[in-house]
Amino acid sequence: GQVVYREIEIAEKNRKIKLLEHQLAEHIKVLQKFEDDRRISEAKMFAIADYESLNYEWKLTKRQHELNYIQQQESGIVEVFANEIYMIQKYMIDKKYTALMAEKLGEVSILLPDFKSAAEYYVKLNALLIAELSK
């Protein structure tokens, strides 16, 4: 009777160990998912910050360009094709920044698919500007 009781006790302990191992594996899965989610949301925050600073830089560059043009107009030093030159330079600025945006968002969309359509938008916009500039 002693041996049978001992085997039952061992079997019970093995069953508990298996149960604990299973619970541990589940906890590890949950932690892993949490870690992955955290990494993704961190990447999103960095991507959005990069996007916003690039967007800000773009707006600032355009604003400076605009102010230079206004100052030229006011000072009376206006070239014959001042307006055309201004527009071409404006397109050049947009072309540069749409390319940067497309590249940045393209890199990010590998990890974060939500950014894919934004990247495609800037690719299209960039293509339009290139077409406009090559007229």
Side-chain angles (χ1 to χ4, degrees):
Q2 191 73 29
V3 176
V4 174
Y5 175 73
R6 184 95 185 101
E7 280 180 13
I8 290 171
E9 195 179 24
I10 289 168
E12 189 60 31
K13 281 189 175 152
N14 283 339
R15 196 185 63 74
K16 279 184 180 167
I17 288 169
K18 284 269 178 272
L19 185 69
L20 288 171
E21 282 174 347
H22 177 71
Q23 286 176 338
L24 184 64
E26 287 303 306
H27 283 305
I28 289 171
K29 267 190 216 162
V30 169
L31 284 172
Q32 190 59 54
K33 183 175 177 350
F34 181 74
E35 181 61 27
D36 291 347
D37 290 351
R38 189 186 62 75
R39 255 208 319 276
I40 286 171
S41 63
E42 216 169 70
K44 271 186 185 166
M45 283 188 330
F46 281 120
I48 289 165
D50 280 352
Y51 168 83
E52 283 177 347
S53 63
L54 202 54
N55 208 10
Y56 178 73
E57 188 185 314
W58 182 6
K59 283 181 180 158
L60 200 63
T61 307
K62 279 172 79 162
R63 189 79 190 108
Q64 284 170 338
H65 178 59
E66 221 173 276
L67 289 172
N68 288 343
Y69 180 66
I70 291 165
Q71 282 173 341
Q72 276 182 357
Q73 299 284 64
E74 287 171 352
S75 69
I77 313 165
V78 179
E79 294 176 44
V80 185
F81 297 111
N83 211 18
E84 287 83 348
I85 291 166
Y86 169 73
M87 288 311 289
I88 289 168
Q89 287 173 337
K90 195 175 159 186
Y91 281 149
M92 295 287 281
I93 291 167
D94 287 345
K95 188 186 92 156
K96 174 191 171 185
Y97 281 97
T98 51
L100 287 171
M101 288 291 217
E103 185 186 349
K104 182 71 174 148
L105 292 168
E107 288 167 8
V108 167
S109 68
I110 296 162
L111 178 65
L112 308 165
D114 338 3
F115 286 83
K116 196 169 176 55
S117 62
E120 287 165 357
Y121 167 77
Y122 285 107
V123 169
K124 283 179 191 156
L125 199 54
N126 186 255
L128 287 172
L129 287 160
I130 290 170
E132 195 60 40
L133 283 164
S134 62
K135 281 182 182 174

